[in-house]
Amino acid sequence: MFLQTLITGLSIGGIYALMAVGYSLVFSVLNFSNFAHGAVIMLGAYVGLALASKLSLSFGIVLAGSIAGAGLIAVLNEKLAYSSLRRRKAPSLYLMISAMGCAVFLENLVYATIGSRFYAFPEFFGRQVISIGGSSVSLLDVGAFLFALVAILGLHLFIKRTRTGIAIRAGVSDMTMCSLMGVDLDRLIAIVFLLAGGFAGVAGVFLGIKYLVYPTMGWVTNKAYIAAVIGGLGSLPGALAGGLILGVVETFVSSYISSVMRDVFSFSLLIAFLVWRPNGLWGTDSEEKV
């Protein structure tokens, strides 16, 4: 039971990490918490659901379509809600307020057009299980954890090794100097939101398959925000570590103490980090870096 609980916790933590990456990327470059990220995850799940249920496409195509759809939604969201504020050098608080408005708008748009019903994905993985150390674990749990590891590692290598990634790191350090060196900031920020939205799409699909798809499912990103704070806002390794830590803690609390106490432990962990280590595990004392 211990091993099975651990793997389940790592699976949930992997999904949290995928969501936390979007927070970390945007925070790194624009220095504000994008609270509309949860709505993008929700819309990514609906895109994947439509491709799976209406067109009966395979899991790989559904995942790719959700990544593309959520990425484009995130870019459009930035152009409509944040771009003008950013050009006027508005305080970060204004961007956060705009993000909250976007989240409410997108949720109510789904309520008005699709409705409030709960939807389930087709069973891509069925009830397939894998035997590990005498414990039977779901193929979905193992797949979600491994995919999260590979995706975040790939993003880390992209940030460290490619010209675009170097430009993103330069923008994190100093946006003005980055612009003076010839970098198109509008294009750079669009790429950041495209990446954040793509990870939101992946998280939305796995979250929808594991649970259900509904308009307020994006509020689970409160947990992803906790994971980002634990790891250090703006840090990709921190997003992964924070997500896995939170997922394992929640699962063990649910299994060995009480599922009612799960959220109590999660938010207590957030408060503890904010009080004793506000920069998180991988944060810095000045600006947070990717």
Side-chain angles (χ1 to χ4, degrees), residues 131-149:
S131 180
I132 301 176
S135 299
S136 297
V137 296
S138 167
L139 181 62
L140 172 62
D141 289 338
V142 176
F145 172 62
L146 293 178
F147 193 93
L149 285 181

Side-chain angles (χ1 to χ4, degrees), residues 1 16 26 59 112 155 164 202 242 247 265 277:
M1 180 177 176
Y16 286 165
V26 175
F59 175 74
L155 178 62
T164 302
V202 176
F265 272 79
R277 195 177 176 86

Side-chain angles (χ1 to χ4, degrees), residues 85-266:
L85 292 173
R86 175 172 52 81
R87 291 194 180 96
R88 295 201 299 268
K89 300 186 184 302
S92 298
L93 178 62
Y94 291 11
L95 293 169
M96 291 173 63
I97 293 172
S98 180
M100 293 176 186
C102 286
V104 174
F105 169 77
L106 292 174
E107 283 182 11
N108 282 277
L109 181 64
V110 172
Y111 273 121
T113 55
I114 300 176
S116 58
R117 287 183 55 192
F118 287 69
Y119 295 92
F121 268 88
E123 291 191 2
F124 289 112
F125 300 94
R127 299 185 180 275
Q128 300 179 55
V129 295
I130 299 175
S131 180
I132 301 176
S135 299
S136 297
V137 296
S138 167
L139 181 62
L140 172 62
D141 289 338
V142 176
F145 172 62
L146 293 178
F147 193 93
L149 285 181
V150 172
I152 295 175
L153 176 60
L155 178 62
H156 182 72
L157 293 175
F158 173 82
I159 294 292
K160 296 295 184 183
R161 303 290 178 84
T162 65
R163 290 173 60 89
T164 302
I166 293 171
I168 292 174
R169 290 164 59 196
V172 169
S173 299
D174 192 324
M175 293 286 280
T176 302
M177 186 59 68
C178 186
S179 177
L180 292 175
M181 295 298 291
V183 176
D184 185 344
L185 293 184
D186 288 335
R187 178 176 176 272
L188 183 68
I189 291 172
I191 291 173
V192 168
F193 273 86
L194 183 66
L195 290 171
F199 274 84
V202 176
V205 168
F206 277 113
L207 201 62
I209 294 174
K210 192 171 182 65
Y211 302 109
L212 293 168
V213 179
Y214 51 96
T216 57
M217 65 180 291
W219 285 105
V220 76
T221 51
N222 289 334
K223 301 296 183 64
Y225 190 73
I226 296 174
V229 170
I230 291 173
L233 275 170
S235 169
L236 297 186
L240 176 60
L244 296 180
I245 290 170
L246 183 62
V248 170
V249 167
E250 284 193 348
T251 306
F252 273 95
V253 168
S254 297
S255 299
Y256 289 96
I257 301 177
S258 169
S259 59
V260 177
M261 297 296 295
R262 181 187 61 192
D263 289 347
V264 174
F265 272 79
S266 299

Side-chain angles (χ1 to χ4, degrees), residues 2-150:
F2 176 87
L3 182 60
Q4 188 168 347
T5 303
L6 177 63
I7 294 175
T8 302
L10 291 174
S11 166
I12 296 171
I15 297 174
Y16 286 165
L18 290 170
M19 293 188 284
V21 162
Y23 277 123
S24 296
L25 277 172
V26 175
F27 184 87
S28 294
V29 177
L30 296 181
N31 198 33
F32 86 101
S33 297
N34 180 22
F35 291 123
H37 189 62
V40 176
I41 291 172
M42 175 266 295
L43 292 174
Y46 273 103
V47 170
L49 178 68
L51 294 175
S53 59
K54 302 298 183 182
L55 302 179
S56 301
L57 299 176
S58 65
F59 175 74
I61 298 176
V62 167
L63 193 62
S66 183
I67 291 171
L72 291 175
I73 291 169
V75 172
L76 182 62
N77 187 34
E78 193 279 328
K79 295 299 181 186
L80 295 177
Y82 309 141
S83 181
S84 61
L85 292 173
R86 175 172 52 81
R87 291 194 180 96
R88 295 201 299 268
K89 300 186 184 302
S92 298
L93 178 62
Y94 291 11
L95 293 169
M96 291 173 63
I97 293 172
S98 180
M100 293 176 186
C102 286
V104 174
F105 169 77
L106 292 174
E107 283 182 11
N108 282 277
L109 181 64
V110 172
Y111 273 121
T113 55
I114 300 176
S116 58
R117 287 183 55 192
F118 287 69
Y119 295 92
F121 268 88
E123 291 191 2
F124 289 112
F125 300 94
R127 299 185 180 275
Q128 300 179 55
V129 295
I130 299 175
S131 180
I132 301 176
S135 299
S136 297
V137 296
S138 167
L139 181 62
L140 172 62
D141 289 338
V142 176
F145 172 62
L146 293 178
F147 193 93
L149 285 181
V150 172

